[in-house]
Amino acid sequence: MEFFKISCFNIPSPLLMFPVQEENKVCLFSLTNKREYELKVDLEKIQNWRFVGSSHGWLVILNEKADPILLNIFSGICHQLPGKETFPHIDSMREVENEVFEIHYKSWNYSVTHSSETLRQLSVVKAVLSSDPSCDANCTVIVMYFVLGTSKLAFCRQGDSRWTGFGGEIQSYYDVVCKDNMLYALGGGPSIEVWDFHESSPTRKIVIQAPCPQELKESHQIYPSDLYSSQWYLVFSSCEMFLVVRYIGEFVRYDGEVIYEGDTLTNYFIFPYRTIKFHVYKLDFVQKTWLPVESLDDCALFVGGNHSVSLSVKEHPGCKANSIYFTDDYWDRMNEHDSYGGHDMGIFKLGDGRIEQLFDYDLQKFELPPFWIVPN
């Protein structure tokens, strides 16, 4: 895929990929040197793609027909992954007209028809890699895919023609991260399943179940579900495992106040969703408890549609310590309105709770939602 690559390889990471819509181009913004680097790509060619993963410097993409692709934007190397019709919950699929598909799901006794656009929204929730494909021929691609309101797991390796489903007792998965060929899958509770990917088939090693933190139990009182939604992320630092909880106001006024959808003002003005707060907990592996985190010390966390990561600001100058860098991954609402979507990004300062802009931008609607890329 030579039309999608960058000419300069020595770009300091981490990087934010974002569209410059008025100039019909896609850029990478380096947090280290605060410079923009233009990608060799026509925005119009990829605006119907959906980016569902960024891991080890590679992107996982659903193309215009909602088929998954693995792409390295620095080299232009592209790998076609098993097609959308091979996901475990699909019995058969056929294209009945251009980019319109008739699908028969295994759990249903009838067929449904979806456009490619709908399939891009309803298929893969998130994708991560077990390792860097440039260095590891046994690299595994793991996806969370959507089935009847829940997120399930599947994987493929080089040469596979189908996605292979796997999973444990967790009914719906919230996030997945890989470390040393081990997959950590986050579910409600919170609970974590640990899967070993060293062999040909994944083996579940342990299930980590720790009591829900009291603060998280009582969060519905501060962040009621009719005003807020939440996202959970699992993040590894060098020696800690963090549970990151993001609270998003469904309708947020310009002064930051979260209001109800039925508020009179919503009849006259548009109030996009917006991230309001983050809470962070770390796992005490000995006591099997989640402890509130007041400081990340010299770490910065990066969350969104990407493989969640923690970076040391000493090793990545330009990043701010004790901060959470976030991009928009509210897929359920991102395309509901022409005036916003992809906009919910920033830097959350854990110390004082302030949110800063990532860079100077006025747009509220990004046709291609910004995405973190953290090369090895």
Side-chain angles (χ1 to χ4, degrees), residues 270-287:
I270 297 170
F271 298 105
Y273 59 87
R274 196 172 298 281
T275 295
I276 300 298
K277 191 77 172 179
F278 281 90
H279 288 174
V280 182
Y281 308 89
K282 67 178 180 180
L283 183 63
D284 183 326
F285 286 91
V286 177
Q287 300 296 326

Side-chain angles (χ1 to χ4, degrees), residues 24 36 44 82 103 129 223 248 271 301 367:
N24 192 36
E36 292 182 7
E44 290 184 357
I103 308 162
L129 307 182
Y223 308 104
I248 305 168
F271 298 105
L301 309 184
E367 296 299 336

Side-chain angles (χ1 to χ4, degrees), residues 265-309:
L265 287 173
T266 60
N267 295 326
Y268 304 98
F269 301 99
I270 297 170
F271 298 105
Y273 59 87
R274 196 172 298 281
T275 295
I276 300 298
K277 191 77 172 179
F278 281 90
H279 288 174
V280 182
Y281 308 89
K282 67 178 180 180
L283 183 63
D284 183 326
F285 286 91
V286 177
Q287 300 296 326
K288 294 291 191 296
T289 57
W290 290 101
L291 305 175
V293 174
E294 296 183 359
S295 175
L296 296 167
D297 298 324
D298 77 332
C299 287
L301 309 184
F302 290 77
V303 300
N306 56 290
H307 193 158
S308 306
V309 295

Side-chain angles (χ1 to χ4, degrees), residues 74-370:
F74 299 97
S75 65
I77 294 174
C78 176
H79 299 291
Q80 186 73 53
L81 299 174
K84 59 185 176 296
E85 72 280 359
T86 70
F87 279 110
H89 64 304
I90 293 177
D91 185 49
S92 62
M93 180 185 299
R94 65 186 185 96
E95 189 169 11
V96 293
E97 55 183 279
N98 186 36
E99 296 190 18
V100 177
F101 299 87
E102 183 182 78
I103 308 162
H104 190 276
Y105 293 99
K106 290 180 179 178
S107 56
W108 300 358
N109 57 4
Y110 58 91
S111 298
V112 296
T113 301
H114 288 316
S115 67
S116 292
E117 181 180 3
T118 301
L119 283 174
R120 286 193 295 271
Q121 301 304 318
L122 292 181
S123 52
V124 178
V125 181
K126 190 171 190 175
V128 299
L129 307 182
S130 64
S131 56
D132 185 346
S134 306
C135 310
D136 183 5
N138 295 318
C139 170
T140 305
V141 182
I142 299 111
V143 298
M144 292 164 44
Y145 66 96
F146 194 73
V147 184
L148 298 176
T150 62
S151 294
K152 302 299 184 184
L153 301 178
F155 75 94
C156 75
R157 288 193 169 107
Q158 186 174 347
D160 287 354
S161 60
R162 302 186 63 84
W163 293 94
T164 301
F166 70 102
E169 298 174 1
I170 292 177
Q171 295 301 306
S172 186
Y173 294 90
Y174 297 168
D175 196 17
V176 286
V177 293
C178 283
K179 184 178 182 181
D180 302 325
N181 264 321
M182 305 291 285
L183 176 76
Y184 297 78
L186 174 66
S191 59
I192 300 167
E193 292 176 354
V194 184
W195 294 83
D196 187 343
F197 272 84
H198 285 90
E199 303 299 331
S200 58
S201 297
T203 304
R204 190 178 68 172
K205 289 298 185 182
I206 59 172
V207 178
I208 302 172
Q209 290 184 317
C212 184
Q214 192 64 29
E215 182 184 56
L216 186 53
K217 277 185 181 179
E218 298 173 354
S219 62
H220 66 278
Q221 299 175 16
I222 304 172
Y223 308 104
S225 59
D226 53 350
L227 286 174
Y228 298 85
S229 64
S230 64
Q231 301 269 33
W232 289 13
Y233 307 94
L234 201 58
V235 189
F236 272 102
S237 70
S238 57
C239 57
E240 303 282 6
M241 180 190 290
F242 295 118
L243 170 65
V244 179
V245 183
R246 174 180 183 174
Y247 295 98
I248 305 168
E250 299 287 10
F251 299 91
V252 184
R253 292 194 328 196
Y254 300 109
D255 61 2
E257 182 179 347
V258 182
I259 62 175
Y260 288 96
E261 182 178 8
D263 190 293
T264 305
L265 287 173
T266 60
N267 295 326
Y268 304 98
F269 301 99
I270 297 170
F271 298 105
Y273 59 87
R274 196 172 298 281
T275 295
I276 300 298
K277 191 77 172 179
F278 281 90
H279 288 174
V280 182
Y281 308 89
K282 67 178 180 180
L283 183 63
D284 183 326
F285 286 91
V286 177
Q287 300 296 326
K288 294 291 191 296
T289 57
W290 290 101
L291 305 175
V293 174
E294 296 183 359
S295 175
L296 296 167
D297 298 324
D298 77 332
C299 287
L301 309 184
F302 290 77
V303 300
N306 56 290
H307 193 158
S308 306
V309 295
S310 169
L311 300 178
S312 167
V313 299
K314 294 177 182 177
E315 299 174 6
H316 295 82
C319 297
K320 298 181 179 181
N322 197 28
S323 299
I324 301 172
Y325 288 73
F326 63 94
T327 54
D328 197 343
D329 61 352
Y330 199 167
W331 309 119
D332 289 346
R333 295 191 57 196
M334 197 175 293
N335 296 310
E336 71 179 9
H337 204 282
D338 291 338
S339 64
Y340 60 82
H343 63 283
D344 188 22
M345 56 183 172
I347 309 168
F348 179 81
K349 311 302 289 293
L350 193 60
D352 56 19
R354 290 186 299 112
I355 294 178
E356 299 177 357
Q357 270 196 323
L358 279 168
F359 60 98
D360 187 23
Y361 65 93
D362 297 323
L363 283 177
Q364 289 291 308
K365 180 66 176 181
F366 289 83
E367 296 299 336
L368 186 70

Side-chain angles (χ1 to χ4, degrees), residues 1-12 15-18 26-30 33 35-41 57 59 71-77 373 375:
M1 196 170 291
E2 287 295 319
F3 72 87
F4 198 132
K5 65 181 292 187
I6 193 164
S7 58
C8 178
F9 284 79
N10 299 315
I11 303 176
L15 305 167
L16 180 70
M17 184 178 69
F18 68 98
V26 180
C27 290
L28 296 178
F29 176 73
S30 170
N33 60 18
R35 288 180 57 190
E36 292 182 7
Y37 300 84
E38 184 177 351
L39 283 168
K40 184 183 175 183
V41 61
L59 294 172
L71 172 68
N72 187 308
I73 62 170
F74 299 97
S75 65
I77 294 174
I373 301 177

